[in-house]
Structures are given as structure tokens and as C-alpha cells.
């Protein structure tokens, strides 16, 4: 109950305070609870409850786990501008990790921090970036060298120095830099590092023949068992974002590119002609097809066909089934799909008929039964069955459903001797 999203009523908070502990009290903070309940927790006699949220945030800061900047402000009672100068370097590191839209003055303060971890975190992402007057200093600093070499424009002198660096991370960062000139990219063509080769292959300054040659070299290394080549082809390197900015005719030439990442970037462009969309919707790579399906005018039949065949990607929002053009009436037909991940998407229909819910409630997969236990159309008799589910998480979801009447809740407690 304490982990439910949204605002919690005072009665629920009181019950959690009476029957819970420090673990349940972690979620009782901020706008989730009323000012009266915040005062109630601040005056609670048990420090494990009184300080649960603050202790959790402080522990995350000690472990260098990123938390929200608002969490840091709430726990420390200070505005984020003041936290930048906190005596605790762990706290300053947390600010650098979580305050993404920080102003230039704050960025400069973080770049000048005495703790190397803070300086490194301040340069980890492209924005807010390193001001021109700070580039030499950040490139000379071992803590910030690789990050700065990856994102900031480089002079010829710095490029030559960093490209010959004895640090593999720095050389790979230079190859990833989107500001390299054609001459600089040409200087990297002889590298034997698979990650550098793939980064160079994705450069705007490389012709198709050179690109194919570099990819072939790395793919041959992967076939021979090279882990670094596998990393280079699967995980390393930025996508060729520059492709979105070139003229349409030039972009369309990449419809035939044998390297998936270029077709995927092309599929993220909103201004392609109908024939290009047709080809991308039938692309042999699933990630390309999913990217193309996110365009505003994706046809309903394309969306349904893609989801029915492959499901959805739940960590990428909005879901494809949430697309304005997705035929919502088709959701209930997913209950008979052979793939349980596709059947799960039927639960996105808030008015899913009871027979469909019952069918999903008998599924072998606990995540499907748990989805039924959370569904707004679940009836009390169906929830009663799920309360006895062998998976405790499914039973928990059923017990938390608002359709479960108080009389049934009291009977459960009585049967448990509570």
C-alpha cells in the first residue's frame, strides 16, 4: 500500500504508521501525504519511522546511487543551489548526478570541485556541457578527460594528443566525438580498436565503402570470438544522429544501408515519404520497425500487426498500444495470442470483458494473473479466487484491489486470527 502511486489518504497513512515499520514509512513523504501527516511523521516517537525517508535518501547518496534533486532538497531542507556547496562530497556528487538542467554558474562550480568524482559526474552527459574557457582544464584533468573528449569540440592539438593517449577509454571517447573534422576522422582509420572502428564507421565523414570495410573487420573479429568486437557492435558508440539533419534525398539513400543503426535513425525522422515508411514498416530488424511505428501518422494496421507479432517494450513510453492510431478494440482479441507477452497487453483495455479476464486469470504465468488482479474491471468473485493464488505477489495485488469490499477484508483477517 505504501508503494502505490499518487496521493494517500490520511486514513491509509495512519494505518501504515500504526501497523507498518521503517520500510513502509520510506514512501510516506512529500506531496504523497497531507501536511498534517507530514507533521505526524515528523513527531513520531519511533526514529525508524520518523527518519525512514531521510535515512533512505542519505544511504543512496552514500552509495553514489542517483536520486532525484527534489528528494535531496526535501531531505536536507535546502535549495539545490545551496547543496552545490555542501561540505559532504557525496552530496555534491548526488547534485551533479541529478540536477540535469543546472545553470552555467552551477556547472562551473561543479567543474571546479575538489572531488574528482564530482567533476567526472559534471561532464558525464553532453548537456549542460563544458564552457569553452574550461575545455583545456577539463581535458587535462584525468577525472574529466574522457567525458570532455567525447562531447566537446577539440582543437587539432588536443585531438592529436588524445588520439595517441595510452588510455583506451580516452581514445574511444575521441572517436565518439560528433565534432570531429573529416581530417580527424581520417586519422583514426588505421585504429585496430573495434570500438574506435565502429565509431568511425558511423561518422558523417566516412563513405559507404569505408563504412562497410570497417564493419566487416569488426564482424570478423566477433565471429572469431572477440568480446570487445561484440561490445562494439552491440553496445558501444553513439548513434549517427547527424543523419537527421542532412537533406531528405541524402537520408533516403540509407534505406538500403546494411547497418541497422542507420536505418533506425532514419526511421525516427518525421518527414519521410510514403514509400520510405512502407519499406521501414517491413524492415527485417524489429527495432527499426518499432521506431518507424512511433511516427504520429502510423497506420492502425501497422501498429496492430507489430504488437500482435512481437508485443510491446514496456520500458519505452508511451507504449505502442497507447499510440492515438492504435485500434483499441483489437486489444481484447489479444487474450488468445500464443505469446503471453502479447496476451498481457489485452489488459490495457480498461473495459476488458469478464470472460477475457477469467481466461487470463488461469494463465500459467504469474505476471498475467497479477495483471488481472490489478485490472479495474476485476470483479469481487474473481479477486476472491486470486486471493488464493500460489504466487504471493498475485494475492497481494488482489488484496489491494478497490473492488474488494470491507466485509471480505474483515473475513480474511478473521480467518488469519488477526
Amino acid at each position: 500500500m505504501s508503494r502505490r502511486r499518487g496521493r494517500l489518504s490520511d486514513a491509509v497513512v495512519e494505518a501504515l504508521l500504526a501497523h507498518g515499520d521503517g520500510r513502509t514509512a520510506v514512501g510516506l513523504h512529500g506531496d504523497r501525504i497531507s501536511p498534517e501527516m507530514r507533521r505526524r511523521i515528523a513527531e513520531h516517537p519511533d526514529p525508524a519511522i520518523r527518519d525512514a525517508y531521510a535515512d533512505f535518501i542519505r544511504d543512496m547518496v552514500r552509495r553514489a546511487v542517483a536520486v532525484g534533486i527534489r528528494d535531496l532538497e526535501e531531505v536536507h531542507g535546502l535549495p539545490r543551489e545551496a547543496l552545490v556547496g555542501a561540505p559532504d562530497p557525496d552530496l555534491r556528487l548526488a547534485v551533479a548526478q541529478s540536477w540535469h538542467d543546472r545553470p552555467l554558474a552551477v556547472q562551473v562550480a561543479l567543474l571546479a570541485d575538489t572531488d574528482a568524482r564530482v567533476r567526472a559526474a559534471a561532464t558525464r552527459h553532453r548537456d549542460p556541457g563544458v564552457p569553452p574557457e574550461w575545455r583545456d582544464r577539463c581535458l587535462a584533468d584525468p577525472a574529466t578527460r574522457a567525458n570532455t573528449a567525447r562531447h566537446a569540440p577539440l582543437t587539432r592539438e588536443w585531438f592529436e594528443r588524445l588520439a595517441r593517449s595510452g588510455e583506451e577509454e580516452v581514445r574511444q571517447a575521441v572517436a565518439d566525438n560528433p565534432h570531429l573534422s573529416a581530417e580527424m576522422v581520417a586519422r583514426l582509420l588505421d585504429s585496430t580498436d573495434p570500438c574506435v572502428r565502429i565509431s568511425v564507421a558511423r561518422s558523417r565523414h566516412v563513405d559507404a565503402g569505408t563504412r562497410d570495410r570497417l564493419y566487416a573487420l569488426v564482424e570478423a573479429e566477433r565471429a572469431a570470438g572477440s568480446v570487445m568486437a561484440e561490445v562494439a557492435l552491440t553496445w558501444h558508440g553513439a548513434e549517427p544522429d547527424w543523419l537527421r539533419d542532412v537533406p531528405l534525398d541524402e537520408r533516403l539513400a540509407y534505406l538500403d544501408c546494411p547497418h541497422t543503426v542507420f536505418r533506425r535513425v532514419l526511421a525516427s525522422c518525421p518527414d519521410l515519404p510514403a514509400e520510405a515508411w512502407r519499406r521501414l514498416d517491413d524492415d527485417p530488424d524489429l527495432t527499426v520497425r518499432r521506431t518507424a511505428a512511433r511516427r504520429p501518422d502510423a497506420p492502425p494496421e501497422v501498429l496492430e500487426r507489430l504488437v500482435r507479432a512481437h508485443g510491446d517494450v514496456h520500458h519505452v513510453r508511451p507504449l505502442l498500444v497507447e499510440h492515438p492510431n492504435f485500434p483499441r478494440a483489437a486489444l481484447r482479441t489479444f487474450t488468445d495470442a500464443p505469446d503471453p507477452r502479447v496476451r498481457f497487453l489485452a489488459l490495457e483495455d480498461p473495459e476488458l470483458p469478464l470472460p477475457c479476464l477469467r481466461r487470463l486469470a488461469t494463465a500459467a504465468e504469474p505476471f498475467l494473473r497479477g495483471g488481472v488482479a490489478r485490472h479495474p474491471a476485476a470483479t469481487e468473485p474473481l479477486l476472491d479466487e486470486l486471493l488464493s493464488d500460489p504466487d504471493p505477489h498475485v494475492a497481494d495485488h488482489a488484496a489491494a484491489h478497490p473492488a474488494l469490499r470491507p466485509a471480505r477484508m474483515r473475513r480474511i483477517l478473521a480467518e488469519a486470527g488477526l
Side-chain angles (χ1 to χ4, degrees):
M1 291 292 293
S2 67
R3 294 175 184 172
R4 277 189 168 185
R5 293 182 180 180
R7 183 75 172 261
L8 297 173
S9 70
D10 287 359
V12 169
V13 176
E14 288 283 8
L16 289 169
L17 292 175
H19 302 290
D21 54 20
R23 290 174 299 175
T24 54
V26 167
L28 306 179
H29 65 90
D31 294 336
R32 301 196 68 227
I33 60 177
S34 69
E36 175 59 31
M37 289 298 103
R38 286 200 293 274
R39 287 191 292 270
R40 170 91 167 76
I41 293 172
E43 298 169 357
H44 200 281
D46 185 350
I49 291 178
R50 186 173 63 242
D51 302 326
Y53 168 66
D55 286 347
F56 171 76
I57 295 298
R58 291 191 178 102
D59 185 53
M60 293 297 101
V61 169
R62 281 193 296 271
R63 296 170 184 265
V65 177
V67 296
I69 187 65
R70 291 183 180 179
D71 294 312
L72 297 175
E73 290 178 314
E74 183 174 348
V75 165
H76 293 276
L78 293 170
R80 59 194 69 182
E81 292 82 2
L83 295 176
V84 176
D88 182 3
D90 289 343
L91 182 53
R92 301 197 304 273
L93 171 61
V95 173
Q97 291 174 322
S98 60
W99 190 0
H100 302 297
D101 57 347
R102 52 187 178 265
L104 179 60
V106 171
Q107 176 70 344
V108 167
L110 294 172
L111 294 175
D113 199 278
T114 56
D115 192 290
R117 300 172 305 153
V118 177
R119 300 196 303 274
T123 57
R124 187 161 296 136
H125 301 289
R126 181 184 63 187
D127 297 320
V130 176
E133 62 272 19
W134 277 80
R135 286 175 189 160
D136 286 351
R137 177 170 173 174
C138 288
L139 288 169
D141 183 353
T144 57
R145 181 178 298 135
N147 290 338
T148 308
R150 180 173 289 107
H151 301 300
L154 301 175
T155 63
R156 185 190 186 103
E157 292 72 23
W158 270 116
F159 169 78
E160 295 290 348
R161 176 176 170 182
L162 297 171
R164 296 193 304 268
S165 170
E167 300 175 70
E168 179 181 75
E169 182 186 10
V170 172
R171 297 195 306 273
Q172 293 174 355
V174 170
D176 269 347
N177 192 305
H179 304 288
L180 297 185
S181 66
E183 180 186 359
M184 292 175 178
V185 171
R187 295 291 299 273
L188 299 174
L189 286 173
D190 294 332
S191 174
T192 58
D193 184 322
C195 292
V196 172
R197 282 174 167 169
I198 291 302
S199 294
V200 172
R202 294 177 180 177
S203 168
R204 71 177 72 212
H205 301 301
V206 170
D207 60 62
T210 302
R211 179 175 294 121
D212 292 345
R213 178 179 65 82
L214 293 171
Y215 264 97
L217 288 170
V218 180
E219 286 166 352
E221 289 184 63
R222 179 170 65 176
S226 168
V227 174
M228 186 58 71
E230 175 68 30
V231 170
L233 289 166
T234 309
W235 300 106
H236 180 79
E239 293 195 337
D241 295 329
W242 54 266
L243 183 57
R244 298 187 181 96
D245 300 323
V246 302
L248 179 60
D249 288 348
E250 185 178 342
R251 272 182 281 149
L252 291 178
Y254 287 88
L255 280 168
D256 297 313
C257 182
H259 313 299
T260 300
V261 65
F262 288 88
R263 303 195 309 277
R264 186 165 59 241
V265 171
L266 179 63
S268 68
C269 299
D271 59 342
L272 305 182
E275 175 59 20
W277 288 126
R278 187 193 65 76
R279 292 180 58 181
L280 291 168
D281 286 336
D282 292 329
D283 193 273
D285 185 83
L286 176 59
T287 64
V288 174
R289 300 200 301 275
R290 280 181 166 152
T291 302
R294 293 189 175 278
R295 64 188 186 273
D297 59 346
E301 62 274 13
V302 167
L303 292 162
E304 181 181 352
R305 181 183 66 200
L306 185 58
V307 172
R308 189 180 292 277
H310 303 286
D312 219 328
V313 183
H314 287 271
H315 66 274
V316 178
R317 297 287 172 159
L319 299 174
L320 289 176
V321 296
E322 296 170 336
H323 193 291
N325 293 350
F326 188 88
R328 303 286 293 181
L331 286 173
R332 58 191 61 186
T333 68
F334 289 176
T335 54
D336 296 319
D339 188 336
R341 296 169 301 175
V342 177
R343 295 204 301 275
F344 183 77
L345 291 170
L347 296 167
E348 291 291 325
D349 181 354
E351 299 177 350
L352 195 64
L354 185 58
C356 295
L357 287 172
R358 287 196 171 279
R359 191 152 55 248
L360 295 174
T362 61
E365 296 80 10
F367 75 90
L368 276 174
R369 303 195 304 273
V372 174
R374 297 188 301 271
H375 196 274
T379 61
E380 188 170 14
L382 181 56
L383 293 171
D384 206 39
E385 296 173 16
L386 294 170
L387 285 169
S388 303
D389 195 277
D391 188 295
H393 297 292
V394 176
D396 281 348
H397 291 311
H401 199 287
L404 202 64
R405 291 182 296 177
R408 181 66 180 100
M409 296 179 188
R410 287 192 289 270
R411 191 160 72 251
I412 293 171
L413 296 174
E415 291 169 355
L418 298 174

